[in-house]
Amino acid sequence: MPAHLVDRRPELGADELITALVPPPRFDAVRFETYIPNPDEPSQSAAVEACSAFAAKVGARREKKRFRLFGGTAGPSGPMGLYLDGGFGVGKTHLLASTWHAAPSPKAYGTFVELTHLVGALGFAEAVRRLSEHRILAIDEFELDDPGDTTLVTRLLQEVMDAGVYVAATSNTLPEKLGEGRFAAEDFLREIQSLSARFGVVRVDGPDYRHRGLPEAPPPVPPASLEESAAAHEGSTVDDFDAFCEHLASLHPSRYGRLLDGVTRVHLRGIHPAPDQNVALRLVAFADRLYDRAIPVVVSGDPLPSLFTDEMVNGGYRKKYLRAVSRLTALARDAAPAR
């Protein structure tokens, strides 16, 4: 019998929060060699070279310290921070994870939400101490639209970079910035103003690779077909959409990934437009964790793109909603052939 996500309440201990700071399953095997640049977008090839050079610089820093012990001054120079700037679906997370994989250990990789939860669980000083033991910290989805948490993480980065830790990051745009223009880099550097001189910006242009030449999301399935799919795939979960949205509200977003442990396919009954922005943003966070784990999605009810109303998509969180629709579309497409 299929399980229910609403029955799960995952917990993470302090040590687990540190050991869990690695790329999610979808990006566990990615490398620079597996990134396929769009031939029409030269910035993508340039980004691979820039990220590879940054990873090499992280590895060379130890040699620099050793050389200085013997009176030398030569060694790697340049910014200790790298910011990948671009729209959704251009492979920024692939490049971020590849940079992490190419850099030497010890190293840490997490989303912005995971870092804020880490600080909450360990305390600021202990989080700084633990993260300062790493050579590189990679941060995906830096939340520029949350002023309080942005300030907190900026302080955290100040401390760990002062301790010699390199930082690579991607982010979303600020709420008032619409579309995928060139606002992100400017906003990122302004929000981390005290550290902006330590970051170099690498632009990654291009269309959303997830849908190059591919059809749109498959339509919702009839309720009976959803139940058949759930019964046919071991490790499936089935939940009513409204009950599931209520359950997400009871969990910190940093636990959404652990909610999916052992799950092979997610089924949601009766989806419909999110009733408000709080629910919509939780669904965005959940969609990201689904995508990280490459878990196919089957839904009944309204089409997936209708999860977010026109008012939402045309508002301040446009980029997040479009990214979520893009990722959910890809996951629904993954499920379609095997239904």
Side-chain angles (χ1 to χ4, degrees), residues 107-127:
K107 49 192 176 181
Y109 179 109
T111 64
F112 180 89
V113 169
E114 287 171 332
L115 282 184
T116 58
H117 188 50
L118 180 72
V119 173
L122 299 181
F124 185 83
E126 180 63 9

Side-chain angles (χ1 to χ4, degrees), residues 7-302:
D7 293 335
R8 299 183 171 199
R9 298 201 64 83
E11 299 289 341
L12 288 172
D15 288 337
E16 283 185 288
L17 289 170
I18 292 291
T19 58
L21 291 176
V22 297
R26 179 181 288 272
F27 299 101
D28 185 51
V30 302
R31 299 294 187 272
F32 293 126
E33 295 78 16
T34 63
Y35 183 88
I36 303 175
N38 186 332
D40 297 326
E41 301 291 345
S43 69
Q44 295 188 6
S45 294
V48 172
E49 294 178 9
C51 291
S52 180
F54 185 80
K57 185 166 63 174
V58 176
R61 182 171 178 81
R62 189 174 193 181
E63 296 303 318
K64 177 181 179 181
K65 287 183 176 180
R66 183 179 300 156
F67 187 75
R68 282 182 171 174
L69 289 175
F70 296 95
T73 57
S77 59
M80 289 184 64
L82 172 73
Y83 171 64
L84 294 172
D85 179 35
F88 60 89
V90 295
K92 297 192 306 296
T93 301
H94 186 137
L95 290 170
L96 182 71
S98 297
T99 302
W100 185 90
H101 284 300
S105 297
K107 49 192 176 181
Y109 179 109
T111 64
F112 180 89
V113 169
E114 287 171 332
L115 282 184
T116 58
H117 188 50
L118 180 72
V119 173
L122 299 181
F124 185 83
E126 180 63 9
V128 168
R129 186 187 73 78
R130 300 287 288 267
L131 291 174
S132 294
E133 296 171 349
H134 298 82
R135 294 193 189 181
I136 182 173
L137 170 62
I139 309 171
D140 200 17
E141 303 163 16
F142 202 105
E143 300 282 351
L144 295 179
D145 45 36
D146 189 323
D149 284 346
T150 298
T151 300
L152 174 70
V153 175
T154 300
R155 284 183 54 216
L156 183 76
L157 297 188
Q158 176 83 54
E159 297 283 345
V160 300
M161 292 178 92
D162 284 346
V165 180
Y166 282 82
V167 175
T170 71
S171 79
N172 55 66
T173 55
L174 287 171
E176 66 268 21
K177 305 300 187 183
L178 305 183
E180 273 63 59
R182 291 183 177 269
F183 297 109
E186 174 187 335
D187 294 336
F188 178 82
L189 295 177
R190 184 180 70 243
E191 293 301 301
I192 61 164
Q193 186 172 12
S194 62
L195 297 173
S196 61
R198 302 191 194 185
F199 274 83
V201 175
V202 173
R203 180 72 187 176
V204 191
D205 293 303
D208 185 350
Y209 79 92
R210 283 182 284 270
H211 306 301
R212 282 185 213 157
L214 295 174
E216 292 300 312
V221 302
S225 297
L226 183 143
E227 302 299 334
E228 290 171 4
S229 171
H233 295 87
E234 187 175 351
S236 288
T237 61
V238 180
D239 291 273
D240 292 321
F241 180 70
D242 287 332
F244 176 66
C245 289
E246 289 182 14
H247 189 57
L248 287 184
S250 71
L251 299 173
H252 189 278
S254 64
R255 300 181 186 178
Y256 290 179
R258 187 59 62 89
L259 191 67
L260 295 165
D261 283 355
V263 175
T264 63
R265 183 170 291 219
V266 165
H267 300 76
L268 293 175
R269 299 189 193 102
I271 73 165
H272 57 78
D276 59 56
Q277 196 125 260
N278 288 330
V279 173
L281 291 173
R282 292 186 200 108
L283 289 170
V284 168
F286 181 70
D288 287 339
R289 303 294 77 79
L290 277 172
Y291 185 76
D292 285 346
R293 287 154 179 77
I295 298 175
V297 174
V298 181
V299 302
S300 66
D302 293 340

